[in-house]
Amino acid sequence: MISDLPTGFARHLGTDRRRSEHTVRAYRATAARLVAFLGQHWGEEISRAALGRVSAADLRAYLAHRRSEGLSNVSAAREVSAIRGFLSWAGEGTSGPPLKGPRVKKGVPRPIAPDEVLALAETVAEEASEPWIAARDWAVLLLLYGAGLRIGEALMLEGGIFPLGETLSVTGKRSKTRMVPLLPQVREALERYADLCPFGVSSGSPIFRGVKGGPLSPALVRRSVRHARAVLGLSDRTTPHALRHSFATHLLGRGADLRSLQELLGHASLSSTQIYTRVDAAHLLDVYRNAHPRAEG
């Protein structure tokens, strides 16, 4: 049966690969879409053996179909990653035809678009070997983008922050403490990680742990982001710290004043915050130039 293929793949991911529920759900959906497309494309029932003759042209046709439905570059890149895993599973380790994800335009540093941030966080979580690690990585990246924390600030958080409220006390540079608002999505991510963490969450101990229970290393977070941005075809300037920059720039673009932004970011001087006015202006200029090719600089 056609439905057995995506279901079997999902079972493999959840049981053999111990991937997170989020990854299993996303990859199963991609597998189901591909099988349905190939069934119509070839005019036949799709068996596991039939997947062995999928060509690069077939996959390009599938991606073109998905792009016609409004799939973005970063989402298409994630879809390619899922397809590779599905075809490898169907071929029992035999790689399918070579298929490159779409190229994402690279250039000078710019804020990461919200859809790219979510795709990055989802891809990092999908690569995790355990559900609790997926929840951990998702929570860390949402803290950087959704609360504007530095990576060191996020990893220094201790169990005493629970139960969570509407705001979070953060200790930044020079041991200066500030209060940042917690968006519901960020709060839910933290609470889910706390529920899944096998080492528990206790006051005085770091929340985010490595696989052996020690404090999570910033280098591990950076490495995961490097891998995810390669999968998605994002610029090498897409770093954990860039998520904090995007938080600031997007708030400024939505009307936040510099003094409030300075407090949220924990900047000692306003001059450190004012850089985002230039970044936002440059971003708007790019939008203008793209919309009006004859516009002069």
Side-chain angles (χ1 to χ4, degrees):
M1 297 292 291
I2 292 177
S3 60
D4 288 342
L5 291 169
T7 300
F9 179 48
R11 189 180 303 113
H12 161 71
L13 291 174
T15 303
D16 301 332
R17 299 294 302 279
R18 297 182 61 80
R19 293 299 184 90
S20 70
E21 291 180 11
H22 175 84
T23 300
V24 172
R25 184 169 58 250
Y27 277 38
R28 185 193 185 285
T30 294
R33 284 192 293 266
L34 178 62
V35 167
F37 173 82
L38 291 175
Q40 291 186 336
H41 191 57
W42 291 344
E44 63 182 74
E45 182 175 305
I46 305 302
S47 65
R48 188 164 182 163
L51 290 175
R53 56 185 172 88
V54 172
S55 68
D58 293 325
L59 296 182
R60 285 194 295 269
Y62 168 74
L63 286 178
H65 167 70
R66 292 285 288 135
R67 294 302 290 271
S68 72
E69 296 178 335
L71 198 69
S72 68
N73 275 359
V74 290
S75 295
R78 293 182 63 239
E79 195 110 332
V80 167
S81 179
I83 289 170
R84 288 194 184 111
F86 179 49
L87 294 180
S88 176
W89 166 80
E92 297 183 345
T94 302
S95 59
L99 181 64
K100 292 183 178 181
R103 290 183 176 273
V104 177
K105 184 179 180 181
K106 298 180 181 181
V108 296
R110 287 293 181 264
I112 306 171
D115 66 317
E116 293 179 350
V117 173
L118 290 178
L120 185 75
E122 288 171 350
T123 301
V124 168
E126 286 169 2
E127 296 296 321
S129 58
E130 300 278 353
W132 76 269
I133 295 176
R136 178 199 69 190
D137 294 348
W138 177 262
V140 169
L141 295 183
L142 255 62
L143 275 170
L144 306 187
Y145 177 69
L149 271 58
R150 301 176 178 93
I151 187 170
E153 294 170 345
L155 300 188
M156 283 175 59
L157 291 175
E158 297 182 344
I161 67 170
F162 292 98
L164 298 171
E166 298 296 319
T167 58
L168 181 66
S169 176
V170 178
T171 301
K173 292 183 176 180
R174 294 172 293 277
S175 299
K176 183 180 179 181
T177 300
R178 69 184 188 276
M179 301 298 293
V180 298
L182 271 185
L183 295 173
Q185 297 92 329
V186 180
R187 188 163 56 247
E188 290 167 9
L190 283 167
E191 290 170 343
R192 183 169 187 273
Y193 165 68
D195 288 341
L196 293 177
C197 180
F199 305 106
V201 173
S202 58
S203 181
S205 297
I207 294 171
F208 297 112
R209 308 291 191 94
V211 292
K212 295 182 179 179
L216 179 61
S217 166
L220 186 60
V221 179
R222 294 188 183 100
R223 187 173 67 191
S224 297
V225 169
R226 280 198 302 271
H227 176 74
R229 78 187 181 211
V231 169
L232 297 172
L234 297 175
S235 165
D236 57 8
R237 296 182 178 92
T238 303
T239 64
H241 198 66
L243 299 183
R244 171 175 155 90
H245 287 316
S246 297
F247 163 83
T249 305
H250 295 159
L251 277 183
L252 189 63
R254 288 178 174 270
D257 64 89
L258 283 176
R259 286 293 180 188
S260 298
L261 193 56
Q262 179 188 1
E263 290 295 323
L264 285 174
L265 294 172
H267 285 161
S269 67
L270 189 62
S271 61
S272 298
T273 313
Q274 286 173 330
I275 187 174
Y276 294 109
T277 62
R278 297 194 293 274
V279 172
D280 193 57
H283 176 61
L284 291 175
L285 184 58
D286 275 355
V287 172
Y288 173 71
R289 285 172 172 161
N290 289 335
H292 305 279
R294 297 181 183 275
E296 296 182 356

